[in-house]
Amino acid sequence: MSSQCPIAIDPMVGDLAGETARLRDAGPITRIDLMGVTVWTVTDHALARQLTTDTRLVKDINAWKLFADGVVGNQWPLIGMVDVDRSMFSVDGAEHRRLRLKTAQALAPRRLEELRPRIEALTAELLDDLAAAGADGTPVDLKQVFAYPLPMRVVGDLMGVAREDHAQLLDWYKKFFSVMTPQDERLRVIGELDVYFTDQVRKKIADPGDDLTSAFVVADEGGEALTEEEAIGNIKALVAAGHETTVSLIVNTVRALLNEPEQLAKVLAGEVDWKQVIEESLRWDGPVSHLLMRFATEDITVGDTVIEKGEGVVMSYRAVGRDFAVHGETADEFDVTRSTANRHLAFGYGPHICPGAALSRLEAAIALPALFARFPNLRLAVPDSELGNLPVLTQNDLAALPITLN
Ligand code: STR
């Protein structure tokens, strides 16, 4: 298997379902071509758990031979996903624990309960916008009007990023993630984000507030202050991750339920918990198709495959969610009553497991029931076959979700 020619991942994401199945069916670990660059990807649940806890794989891009040799650089469209500042996303071991500590504390489930009223208020505000946009049965894009602004407002509050900057940030991230953005423009956007977040951190150093960015730059019972560079790396990682992924979680869950009216009816009748629905959505159609990347610091043998020192390893978490060995032969079906629903790795696994998992679950658990309570007659405004993904290779990002409200 592993000696076969690498499976080219379609940057236009023309057939995500087909591609996910092909990857899974190619075996637990397989070579893929990411826009001209060959790496390994893991599509098997057990192997993903094993390799995300294997300390021989690291996040530091300098361990990547293709990068160190200059084969991969600023001209590669995905460079911004891997060549990032020093932060909890790019460091391992004891330093990683230090860089992650304050975030883990701020995002602990108990602390998050304090955010609940705020998330409920933001949701209510956006439901009003949705009602206004979709009055008289006009089709409206649920993503654009409702799901897209919400996570940015939540993570913005958490990090202390002012509402007047959100439109600009959303626009930068749209360009950052799309493979259609010309590379010189993407590099310019990365530079803009750098200037913006550097300024943000400096402002908090000068005048700390009640937000996580400020917590990074002051010493407290949670530990020493991070350096300016580390704080910038962390805020960049958290705003990007907090925004982009949670939009998809909300959109993909609504889409799945609107396509399965019998399952939706059970949920609305209280026979199935929203928490269970959210887990099944994460498993079946999670926000992250491919998580870039880890690098081997020595040869790692996996069955009859050797990941050579210096090679890159991707985790294809969407395919992992469809693992037959874990979810049985119905793995490709959306089923809110599935007993294995929460056995997914949509938030990763091991030391780098998503620190925002509980926050994103909370956002979805507030937004989804509120949406269906307000608009019980929600329907897709177009056949599902007309929906398609944005040209974003790593993320499972629907372009739009046109709906009618009543
Ligand atoms: C975006 C660009 C940046 O400045 C820093 C980061 C680090 C965290 C990354 C983020 C990136 C892209 C989206 C990621 C996020 C961590 C979780 C999120 C990969 C590269 C996911 O989509 C899982």
Side-chain angles (χ1 to χ4, degrees), residues 44-89:
D44 175 275
H45 181 103
L47 185 59
R49 285 171 43 140
Q50 183 187 317
L51 291 179
T52 47
T53 48
D54 188 323
T55 54
R56 295 171 297 176
L57 283 172
V58 298
K59 305 278 305 253
D60 178 4
I61 191 174
N62 297 302
W64 194 14
K65 188 164 187 305
L66 291 177
F67 183 78
D69 291 350
V71 176
V72 168
N74 271 348
Q75 292 320 307
W76 188 46
L78 298 170
I79 193 71
M81 296 298 292
V82 283
D83 187 12
V84 295
D85 294 351
R86 181 183 160 76
S87 76
M88 70 182 98
F89 187 72

Side-chain angles (χ1 to χ4, degrees), residues 80-82 84 89 176-177 233 236-237 240-241 244-245 288 291-292 395:
M81 296 298 292
V82 283
V84 295
F89 187 72
F176 173 83
F177 281 106
K236 279 185 183 173
E244 212 283 338
T245 50
V288 182
L291 192 288
L292 275 45
Q395 318 296 114

Side-chain angles (χ1 to χ4, degrees), residues 341-386:
N342 61 8
R343 293 195 58 209
H344 60 73
L345 303 184
F347 293 114
Y349 192 75
H352 286 278
I353 192 167
C354 177
L359 176 57
S360 84
R361 285 175 165 128
L362 181 63
E363 288 178 50
I366 290 170
L368 293 165
L371 172 70
F372 283 96
R374 177 102 178 241
F375 305 111
N377 296 319
L378 211 64
R379 299 272 184 284
L380 285 183
V382 298
D384 188 79
S385 57
E386 285 180 21

Side-chain angles (χ1 to χ4, degrees), residues 92-107:
D92 293 277
E95 277 292 270
H96 172 244
R97 285 188 289 281
R98 182 177 69 79
L99 290 176
R100 186 175 153 117
L101 186 65
K102 293 190 190 221
T103 303
Q105 288 167 342
L107 296 177

Side-chain angles (χ1 to χ4, degrees), residues 86-139:
R86 181 183 160 76
S87 76
M88 70 182 98
F89 187 72
S90 57
V91 163
D92 293 277
E95 277 292 270
H96 172 244
R97 285 188 289 281
R98 182 177 69 79
L99 290 176
R100 186 175 153 117
L101 186 65
K102 293 190 190 221
T103 303
Q105 288 167 342
L107 296 177
R110 188 176 37 83
R111 285 278 300 278
L112 289 181
E113 275 309 310
E114 295 165 20
L115 291 180
R116 180 184 288 276
R118 181 76 188 130
I119 301 173
E120 285 170 351
L122 290 170
T123 300
E125 194 184 321
L126 289 167
L127 287 174
D128 289 341
D129 294 351
L130 193 59
D136 320 319
T138 323

Side-chain angles (χ1 to χ4, degrees), residues 155-188:
V155 78
D157 279 2
L158 183 77
M159 303 308 298
V161 171
R163 173 91 72 105
E164 65 253 31
D165 298 342
H166 292 187
Q168 174 64 262
L169 286 166
L170 291 174
D171 186 58
W172 281 333
Y173 286 122
K174 196 173 269 176
K175 290 179 176 142
F176 173 83
F177 281 106
S178 172
V179 302
M180 294 301 281
T181 303
Q183 189 63 5
D184 57 345
E185 193 181 347
R186 189 187 333 279
L187 295 173
R188 190 181 58 70

Side-chain angles (χ1 to χ4, degrees), residues 254-304:
V254 174
R255 177 197 190 179
L257 288 171
L258 293 182
N259 278 319
E260 298 293 342
E262 287 176 13
Q263 297 192 42
L264 176 59
K266 280 188 189 164
V267 178
L268 296 183
E271 288 165 40
V272 177
D273 205 80
W274 276 104
K275 288 196 167 135
Q276 166 80 8
V277 177
I278 292 163
E279 296 312 305
E280 176 63 354
S281 169
L282 285 163
R283 178 196 75 80
W284 183 70
D285 201 22
V288 182
S289 299
H290 310 289
L291 192 288
L292 275 45
M293 203 183 315
R294 288 172 171 81
F295 311 101
T297 56
E298 46 188 282
D299 288 2
I300 301 173
T301 304
V302 174
D304 54 10

